[in-house]
Amino acid sequence: MLFSISPELFNYIAISFARFKWPLLTWSLFLVALFIILQAQIQFNTPSALVWLAILILFTAIESLIVAAFIFFFQVLPSTKEENKTWFKFYRLIEWCETILFTVLLPLPIVLFIYAFISLQAT
């Protein structure tokens, strides 16, 4: 089976998870607020576990915001409703740009957190 990333695949995934878009946004806002509160509590003598918890909360907030944006962008593809050929091509170009963008953005917070963890543990 050939796995290909396309706007249609992302549209199918976004429709499947559409019920989670508002809870994801709510969790993202809550986690950002929690990070800000924790950051105010962190000082030089704070245990490293609490610092890593705060960083994990920040990256989780960013990831949930990206997933919510993904659902909002791909829940409806404008090109599927367009009959004018010129506008159809324009919408398809935008959809492919969004597909490429979200292919990079979706795993980025997880990869950055793992990189930060590994690089700071090595020092």
Side-chain angles (χ1 to χ4, degrees):
M1 182 171 108
L2 180 64
F3 180 75
S4 63
I5 294 176
S6 67
E8 289 78 19
L9 173 67
F10 281 5
N11 175 248
Y12 176 75
I13 294 169
I15 289 171
S16 300
F17 293 104
R19 65 183 178 274
F20 297 115
K21 65 183 175 187
W22 292 111
L24 280 169
L25 280 174
T26 306
W27 273 106
S28 179
L29 291 173
F30 170 73
L31 290 173
V32 167
L34 183 60
F35 172 75
I36 291 170
I37 291 168
L38 276 176
Q39 185 182 16
Q41 300 300 317
I42 293 175
Q43 298 174 4
F44 290 111
N45 56 354
T46 303
S48 63
L50 184 60
V51 174
W52 279 110
L53 178 65
I55 293 171
L56 178 65
I57 288 170
L58 176 65
F59 279 98
T60 305
I62 293 169
E63 183 68 35
S64 63
L65 184 63
I66 290 172
V67 171
F70 168 83
I71 294 170
F72 275 104
F73 274 95
F74 285 101
Q75 192 171 2
V76 176
L77 294 178
S79 66
T80 58
K81 298 178 181 177
E82 189 56 52
E83 295 178 12
N84 185 333
K85 189 175 180 179
T86 306
W87 283 108
F88 175 79
K89 288 182 181 181
F90 177 71
Y91 286 139
R92 286 302 287 179
L93 176 67
I94 291 173
E95 290 166 2
W96 273 105
C97 290
E98 290 172 355
T99 301
I100 294 167
L101 180 70
F102 276 103
T103 301
V104 172
L105 282 179
L106 283 170
L108 193 61
I110 297 167
V111 171
L112 288 175
F113 178 76
I114 292 170
Y115 173 74
F117 185 77
I118 291 171
S119 66
L120 289 177
Q121 291 299 324
T123 60

